[in-house]
Amino acid sequence: MAACVCALLSASTGAAGSDAGKPAFTDAEIKTILLHGPWPAPASPDSSNRVSGNADAIEFGTRLFFDQRLSGKGVVSCGSCHVPERNWTDNLTRGIGMAEVDRNTPTVMNLRGSQWYGWDGAADSLWSQGVRPLLDEREMAASPRHVAELVRNDEQLSCRYRKAFGTPPSPTDDESVLVGIVKAIAAFQETLISGRTTFDQFREALARGDPPSAWNFSEPARRGLKIFIGKGACNSCHSGPNFTSGEFFSTGLSQFKPRGKADPGREDGVRQLIASRFNLLGPYNDDSARTNAERTRQVSLEPGGAGEFKVPSLRNLVLTAPYGRDGRVETIADVVRHYAGIDPASLHAKDGRSAKPLNLTKREQTDLVIFLESLSTFNNPWRPDDGGRCD
Ligand code: HEC
Ligand code: HEC
């Protein structure tokens, strides 16, 4: 950890001196770099969730996220695995609730506006992603009846439910209460946006047209950025303000076979998505026109890719080790070493185009790591719930 902090600091200091301007960027490079912002990226409310952006729902969702009573045995909450001070993950290889699960716990920061959720994209909305951990035996092992009864019978929770949704929790329809719970939790998770980084400030300096002497971005970070958008082609997948296209690829980074079987990834994610009652084509999408369900309709027609996983964001990586869907890669440098031996650009090629390994030198690998560290910030915008009463 200490080494990461040093490099992070070095990325944020010392550019304004005699070394300013080396390396400079071409106009084409600057255009590409500007695509990774602005930050925070503007986002509109989630049309599938009628309480998206609603202050009462956000407060209710904050309570629920940390409430262990939602789990069947009363001992696990969402916050047990998505820990605020660990950038909303757990720093474990694989998540552990009632038992160990098959995959690494991703952060719940910066998810607003994503198309797919989970490493395999088995959910098509932030709220529907919350159903699985509640019901999964290895995570919270609850039932719709259990969570609905908790909210109905706890005076504070039912008061908050009523404030958020305008009606009390249904006394008979457990599933509708379950959906209300995950929609409030989603409204809370939408507020988790990471702070501005050294990179974001540098990008803004470029956008303003500041001269290189005014850039607060170290030489190694600049060189690393050039590789990222140049010969590394990292930005073909880690694109946009959140450094992810949100799509699915196989990179060979993860190999763990849970219980001796390869993780089917996206292929199985599509199957689960289509089978789910909670997808955007189902009865709980609050956009009655279903205009937000277009992609879900499309994936039911395209076969999903075996062994493909969602491209993760690269923001706040310093805080989220270990890496990859199987959580077996311990450091950012190890991830970069993996890519240094392959041709990332060829990972896109479905036509079997021949791959030429990147063969990054040791120095280039370090530069790339220092650039990736410039995408992190220790500034966690979350403030704990104030414990106020609802009446
Ligand atoms: C046992 C640990 C554990 C618990 C408890 C847990 N999660 Fe997760 N969470 C995970 C893991 C592991 C994944 C990756 C799942 C996958 O890809 O199959 C994940 C994925 C997610 C994602 C998708 C993130 C992304 O990048 O697509 C969201 C959102 C999420 N969880 C929210 C929640 C909420 C809300 C709760 C509580 C209702 C919760 N989680 C409880 C471990 C946990
Ligand atoms: C073809 C798309 C693609 C390209 C190109 C690509 N990545 Fe990735 N990247 C992914 C996917 C998919 C994962 C998750 C893989 C897994 O765990 O199985 C990933 C994972 C990562 C992770 C781990 C993040 C985490 O939270 O676990 C880092 C770091 C990373 N990539 C950096 C890079 C860098 C640096 C480059 C360029 C040298 C690059 N990537 C090029 C798709 C890509």
Side-chain angles (χ1 to χ4, degrees), residues 146-341:
H146 172 82
V147 296
E149 287 287 294
L150 174 74
V151 170
R152 285 180 194 126
N153 297 331
D154 181 273
E155 179 221 311
Q156 283 296 303
L157 294 180
S158 67
C159 173
R160 282 172 206 283
Y161 187 104
R162 183 168 39 76
K163 267 195 162 170
F165 292 97
T167 52
S170 158
T172 50
D173 184 350
D174 295 335
E175 194 171 273
S176 82
V177 183
L178 168 72
V179 169
I181 289 170
V182 292
K183 284 185 177 169
I185 294 178
F188 159 62
Q189 293 179 99
E190 283 171 352
T191 66
L192 302 174
I193 304 296
S194 63
R196 288 155 47 75
T197 64
T198 311
F199 169 78
D200 296 316
Q201 279 149 18
F202 164 66
R203 180 196 163 279
E204 264 158 42
L206 283 185
R208 283 191 304 264
D210 289 0
S213 61
W215 297 347
N216 196 10
F217 205 57
S218 75
E219 255 196 75
R222 294 183 208 179
R223 289 194 302 261
L225 172 53
K226 269 187 180 280
I227 298 169
F228 190 86
I229 60 171
K231 71 174 170 187
C234 313
N235 62 327
S236 61
C237 296
H238 298 283
S239 57
N242 200 21
F243 292 87
T244 171
S245 63
E247 294 302 321
F248 302 84
F249 294 97
S250 167
T251 62
L253 183 66
S254 292
Q255 278 140 22
F256 171 69
K257 297 182 176 164
R259 285 177 298 282
K261 272 175 41 205
D263 185 335
R266 184 59 174 154
E267 193 179 37
D268 199 46
V270 170
R271 262 199 299 272
Q272 286 180 43
L273 173 70
I274 299 311
S276 170
R277 281 180 55 66
F278 303 102
N279 71 26
L280 293 177
L281 297 167
Y284 296 110
N285 180 352
D286 290 330
D287 170 15
S288 52
R290 299 285 183 277
T291 43
N292 53 16
E294 197 41 49
R295 292 291 306 277
T296 305
R297 221 172 267 125
Q298 281 167 14
V299 294
S300 61
L301 306 173
E302 314 158 357
E308 292 180 355
F309 294 90
K310 192 170 78 169
V311 179
S313 166
L314 300 179
R315 285 188 178 269
N316 279 8
L317 279 183
V318 161
L319 301 167
T320 55
Y323 305 102
R325 170 268 303 169
D326 68 2
R328 284 199 318 174
V329 187
E330 288 190 7
T331 65
I332 299 175
D334 290 335
V335 178
V336 168
R337 200 167 305 126
H338 165 77
Y339 282 112

